[in-house]
Amino acid sequence: MPGKGAKRPEPEVPEEAPPPPPPEANSEALEFLATISEEEIPLLYFSETLNMISETNQILGEYSLDIKQAYYYSSDGDTKRSVLVHATSRGQLEEIPCGTSISGYLDWDLKTYQQHHHEFIKFLPLSVDKKTTLLKQNADMLMTRILKEGEEALGFQTIQLGSEQAEVLVVEQTMHSNEDIPMTWQYYLLPDGHLAKRIQVGSPFCCIITKMPIMREEDEFDPKPVFEKKQLEWEEDVQLFAIFRDRKEELQASHTTYMQHHPEAQTLISDFLLFLLLRQPSNVVTFAAEYFGPFARGLDKPPPFRSSNRPSPFRNPCSLSVPYNPLEKIPEKSSEEKTEDSSS
């Protein structure tokens, strides 16, 4: 027995079990979403209303779905082009009004920007009204209560729609909660994306369209035509050659008339060619610029103290030695230079 005044050992408190890990997205669902291209997303835009019927074909309510293009305004003030999905389900379950509304903004990779979920049951004296918001913040998602696990493909099936049979793709969506039991829906989708049937697992009723909708097909665009480049043989074309000959004669007549009215042009060109052949410069462009420079009109009067050895914009400053004046008299060759020219 413990001595007097000894402390009794405290009872051990069992450790709390760690919370279960959050559910992970199904890999097959992610692969399916990755196969949807940006060009195919506009084909998903549609608006449809389905009747909710019981097992005895009694209409209990309606389910409406609207998918369209919209603009999402983030908390940072950015405006992004997105896809707006809005689904509403209203009806009565055992004469109790109930309904569910889901709206969300998706990007072109079908990732959620923002989602609102509103569910209500008007059951007196206790009414239920639940609202859930899913908001994207940078690389994280801010969620309240409901976690969207994703969609799991259940394969292709054939169902009866009125008097016709249609092949549909059945996908399943499950929402988990930390407090309530999971809720699961099954969607029956036609090949063009129309929703043909919706079933809530555990519910006594389902949603189904009353008649087969008109199927939409993706537009097929013809490839752009490719034209081979052909060489133009204008000399062999009678019409083109006649146009060329008429234009040539017209230009020749115009040039002849102009030179007859401006004889000074012929004199100016002849003088330039004479100086060019006498000087025989290595740079013809620079020589021509310096030759015609003094004949320019409309220029400001040069200053009286301007250097006679001014730099030329067409010549390297290092190569300037003696300025050239096209109007100066060409110096005559000495007797020795004449003797050398005659001997050569």
Side-chain angles (χ1 to χ4, degrees):
M1 294 180 64
K4 188 176 181 180
K7 295 182 178 180
R8 296 181 179 180
E10 297 181 357
E12 296 182 358
V13 178
E15 297 181 358
E16 296 182 0
E24 297 181 359
N26 184 273
S27 59
E28 296 181 359
L30 296 178
E31 293 178 359
F32 172 76
L33 294 177
T35 58
I36 302 177
S37 62
E38 183 176 343
E39 292 77 11
E40 294 176 333
I41 292 180
L43 299 176
L44 304 177
Y45 297 162
F46 71 96
S47 179
E48 195 71 73
T49 300
L50 295 82
N51 291 330
M52 294 188 296
I53 59 176
S54 63
E55 296 178 350
T56 59
N57 293 330
Q58 181 183 359
I59 298 179
L60 302 177
E62 66 178 17
Y63 174 79
S64 61
L65 180 63
D66 186 19
I67 303 177
K68 60 184 179 180
Q69 178 179 315
Y71 291 91
Y72 173 71
Y73 301 93
S74 62
S75 58
D76 299 332
D78 297 336
T79 303
K80 302 178 182 179
R81 192 161 60 99
S82 62
V83 180
L84 174 60
V85 180
H86 183 75
T88 303
S89 174
R90 294 179 180 272
Q92 290 186 353
L93 179 61
E94 296 180 355
E95 298 182 355
I96 300 175
C98 59
T100 303
S101 176
I102 300 177
S103 62
Y105 291 89
L106 309 176
D107 62 7
W108 295 109
D109 294 331
L110 300 182
K111 296 180 180 178
T112 303
Y113 284 134
Q114 187 175 7
Q115 176 179 307
H116 298 278
H117 181 206
H118 182 205
E119 183 178 1
F120 68 92
I121 300 177
K122 296 182 178 181
F123 177 69
L124 299 177
L126 180 61
S127 298
V128 178
D129 193 309
K130 295 182 179 180
K131 294 182 180 180
T132 306
T133 301
L134 179 65
L135 180 63
K136 181 179 180 182
Q137 294 183 345
N138 298 327
D140 300 326
M141 301 295 293
L142 178 62
M143 298 183 297
T144 57
R145 300 191 61 186
I146 295 179
L147 174 64
K148 184 179 179 181
E149 182 178 13
E151 298 180 350
E152 179 182 359
L154 301 180
F156 293 91
Q157 297 183 12
T158 302
I159 62 174
Q160 189 73 26
L161 297 178
S163 60
E164 302 181 22
Q165 287 187 347
E167 184 178 6
V168 296
L169 174 64
V170 184
V171 297
E172 185 176 88
Q173 181 186 32
T174 302
M175 290 188 179
H176 295 264
S177 173
N178 295 332
E179 299 178 1
D180 299 336
I181 61 175
M183 301 180 65
T184 303
W185 294 269
Q186 292 182 354
Y187 301 91
Y188 294 72
L189 306 175
L190 295 173
D192 65 343
H194 271 89
L195 180 61
K197 186 178 180 180
R198 191 196 74 156
I199 297 177
Q200 182 176 355
V201 178
S203 175
F205 58 86
C206 67
C207 304
I208 189 171
I209 58 178
T210 57
K211 62 179 180 179
M212 187 70 177
I214 300 177
M215 303 296 291
R216 296 176 300 179
E217 298 181 358
E218 184 178 359
D219 296 335
E220 297 182 0
F221 299 95
D222 297 331
K224 295 183 179 180
V226 179
F227 301 97
E228 298 180 358
K229 188 176 180 180
K230 297 182 179 180
Q231 187 176 0
L232 179 60
E233 301 292 344
W234 63 271
E235 296 180 353
E236 298 180 0
D237 190 291
V238 178
Q239 184 177 2
L240 293 179
F241 185 76
I243 295 175
F244 167 76
R245 182 184 56 192
D246 296 342
R247 180 58 177 166
K248 180 179 179 182
E249 295 176 355
E250 180 183 353
L251 291 176
Q252 289 178 348
S254 175
H255 296 165
T256 303
T257 303
Y258 179 82
M259 296 302 292
Q260 291 176 355
H261 287 79
H262 298 276
E264 66 276 9
Q266 182 67 33
T267 304
L268 185 62
I269 296 174
S270 300
D271 291 343
F272 169 71
L273 292 177
L274 176 61
F275 277 103
L276 179 66
L277 296 176
L278 289 175
R279 292 301 181 95
Q280 298 183 3
S282 59
N283 193 328
V284 179
V285 177
T286 302
F287 180 82
E290 295 178 351
Y291 176 83
F292 289 103
F295 296 97
R297 296 180 180 179
L299 300 179
D300 296 336
K301 187 177 181 180
F305 300 102
R306 186 178 60 178
S307 173
S308 60
N309 191 18
R310 65 183 186 277
S312 172
F314 301 95
R315 180 178 296 179
N316 188 353
C318 299
S319 63
L320 293 176
S321 58
V322 179
Y324 166 68
N325 186 359
L327 301 181
E328 68 179 356
K329 185 178 180 181
I330 301 175
E332 296 182 358
K333 295 183 179 180
S334 61
S335 58
E336 296 179 357
E337 293 178 351
K338 293 180 179 179
T339 305
E340 292 178 359
D341 292 342
S342 59
S343 61
S344 60

